[in-house]
């Protein structure tokens, strides 16, 4: 096969990237919802919000999106969801099967499920800022009103060789979807504005129901979703099963839409 690609210079490629990045970035410096963390709960929340026309930006410290959703657990890339969360796999077009020995326990391929969720979130219109790490929150009149971020490459360097100030992005709401770390919530705890209970020990059967139930506004302007809910409220952990992450993301989007309407 021979292919004749259209003509271009090196500088034109650079300009295309700079122009388009700058245009989009400028548009998202102020947004309706910022989601910190691009794991299953954050992606699901982003997909739901964007599909309802909400302007949403997902901030992810890694180059790749998906968090723990690429793998089941222990480096084995079969993931599980429990009924009724297979309905979300149906929505995303992820193939799965019921585990022959346990009714209501479904198994799917991690890479397939994760890439479908990422694609659905992007297709819905959520914008992504990856390689970007949360540094702090913007706090106006005791309400979370945005985030302070820096490039992950800068954040990862020792302070003494990387004195680069972070920048702020404003939003009406922030969603903490940073998983076990609950990084956004912790910024408020460091200032004595709230107290987290810390994640409890493993108890999958209770944990999934409780995480969805507790997905809520944890502090004015700040909604928690996914394992950040568990860390914030002191709920048991659940290990490598993801139904509650997807359902919690959906609920976080509902809570956000409700707040945006007020
Ligand atoms: O950890 P993660 O997958 O969180 P989740 O959506 O899902 C948890 C499950 O994967 C699993 C479980 C239950 O099934 O126990 O662990 O709650 O995704 C969190 C994402 O947030 C990013 C991190 O890189 C990951 O992709 N993240 C964490 N801290 C920061 C961050 C930060 N400070 N700034 C930006 N991104």
């Amino acid at each position: 096969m021979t292919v004749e690609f259209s003509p271009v210079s090196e500088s034109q490629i650079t300009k295309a990237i700079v122009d388009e990045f700058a245009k989009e970035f400028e548009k998202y410096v102020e947004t309706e919802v910022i989601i910190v963390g691009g794991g299953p709960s954050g992606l699901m929340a982003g997909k739901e919000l964007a599909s309802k026309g909400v302007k949403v930006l997902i901030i992810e410290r890694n180059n790749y999106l998906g968090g723990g959703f690429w793998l089941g657990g222990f480096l084995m890339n079969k993931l599980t969801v429990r009924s009724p969360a297979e309905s979300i796999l149906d929505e995303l077009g992820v193939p799965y099967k019921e585990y022959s020995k346990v009714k209501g326990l479904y198994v799917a391929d991690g890479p397939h499920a994760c890439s479908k969720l990422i694609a659905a979130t992007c297709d819905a219109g959520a914008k992504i800022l990856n390689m970007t790490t949360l540094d702090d929150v913007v706090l106006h009149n005791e309400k979370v009103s945005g985030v302070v971020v820096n490039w992950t490459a800068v954040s990862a360097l020792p302070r003494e060789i990387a004195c680069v100030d972070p920048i702020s992005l404003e939003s009406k709401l922030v969603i903490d979807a940073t998983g076990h770390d609950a990084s956004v919530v912790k910024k408020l705890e460091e200032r004595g504005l709230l107290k987290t209970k810390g994640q409890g020990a493993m108890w999958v059967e209770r944990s999934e129901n409780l995480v969805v139930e507790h997905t809520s506004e944890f502090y004015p302007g700040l909604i928690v979703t996914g394992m950040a809910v568990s860390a914030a409220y002191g709920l048991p952990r659940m290990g490598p099963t993801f139904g509650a992450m997807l359902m919690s993301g959906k609920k976080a989007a509902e809570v956000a839409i409700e707040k945006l309407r007020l």
Side-chain angles (χ1 to χ4, degrees):
M1 184 175 81
T2 57
V3 184
E4 191 69 30
F5 287 103
S6 58
V8 75
S9 72
E10 286 73 12
S11 59
Q12 284 171 322
I13 290 180
T14 306
K15 279 182 187 169
I17 294 171
V18 174
D19 278 356
E20 292 307 311
F21 178 79
K23 245 189 271 166
E24 188 170 288
F25 192 47
E26 202 272 339
K27 212 164 125 198
Y28 279 81
V29 165
E30 278 177 311
T31 189
E32 286 181 290
V33 180
I34 291 174
I35 299 172
V36 186
S41 63
L43 288 168
M44 196 66 209
K47 171 190 163 300
E48 291 292 300
L49 287 166
S51 66
K52 297 196 168 63
V54 175
K55 188 175 169 192
V56 55
L57 179 68
I58 300 177
I59 286 170
E60 169 54 55
R61 70 180 168 194
N62 289 330
N63 190 19
Y64 63 91
L65 294 162
F69 203 42
W70 288 106
L71 295 164
F74 201 63
L75 297 182
M76 297 181 286
N77 65 357
K78 292 285 182 196
L79 55 82
T80 63
V81 306
R82 289 157 66 210
S83 182
E86 79 279 13
S87 63
I88 299 185
L89 300 182
D90 286 330
E91 261 173 50
L92 296 170
V94 176
Y96 61 86
K97 63 179 186 188
E98 190 170 33
Y99 179 50
S100 57
K101 293 171 188 159
V102 183
K103 202 166 162 26
L105 180 64
Y106 299 91
V107 184
D109 281 335
H112 203 160
C114 194
S115 49
K116 284 274 192 187
L117 176 57
I118 295 168
T121 306
C122 295
D123 288 348
K127 294 296 170 201
I128 318 283
L129 206 53
N130 46 349
M131 290 299 281
T132 303
T133 294
L134 176 92
D135 189 82
D136 210 340
V137 292
V138 178
L139 205 58
H140 292 165
N141 303 316
E142 290 160 18
K143 179 181 178 295
V144 174
S145 308
V147 293
V148 182
V149 295
N150 217 330
W151 297 123
T152 297
V154 170
S155 309
L157 288 168
R159 283 269 179 221
E160 54 277 21
I161 60 163
C163 271
V164 181
D165 263 332
I167 53 163
S168 302
L169 308 172
E170 289 189 67
S171 61
K172 293 182 182 150
L173 293 168
V174 173
I175 299 181
D176 187 342
T178 59
H180 302 256
D181 294 349
S183 310
V184 191
V185 166
K186 292 278 165 61
K187 292 292 164 194
L188 299 169
E189 188 169 34
E190 281 165 18
R191 296 188 168 85
L193 295 171
L194 53 79
K195 185 96 193 79
T196 62
K197 295 219 174 115
Q199 191 170 256
M202 187 78 82
W203 190 359
V204 63
E205 234 174 51
R206 268 185 72 64
S207 176
E208 288 214 276
N209 302 355
L210 288 171
V211 162
V212 179
E213 191 184 313
H214 285 76
T215 299
S216 57
E217 190 177 38
F218 192 59
Y219 187 85
L222 178 63
I223 294 164
V224 282
T225 186
M227 288 315 286
V229 177
S230 177
Y233 286 98
L235 308 177
R237 63 191 303 177
M238 71 191 64
T241 195
F242 291 85
M245 298 299 99
L246 302 170
M247 294 281 191
S248 168
K250 252 186 198 259
K251 184 167 174 198
E254 283 166 19
V255 174
I257 286 169
E258 184 81 28
K259 297 267 156 208
L260 290 172
R261 279 208 204 104
L262 295 176

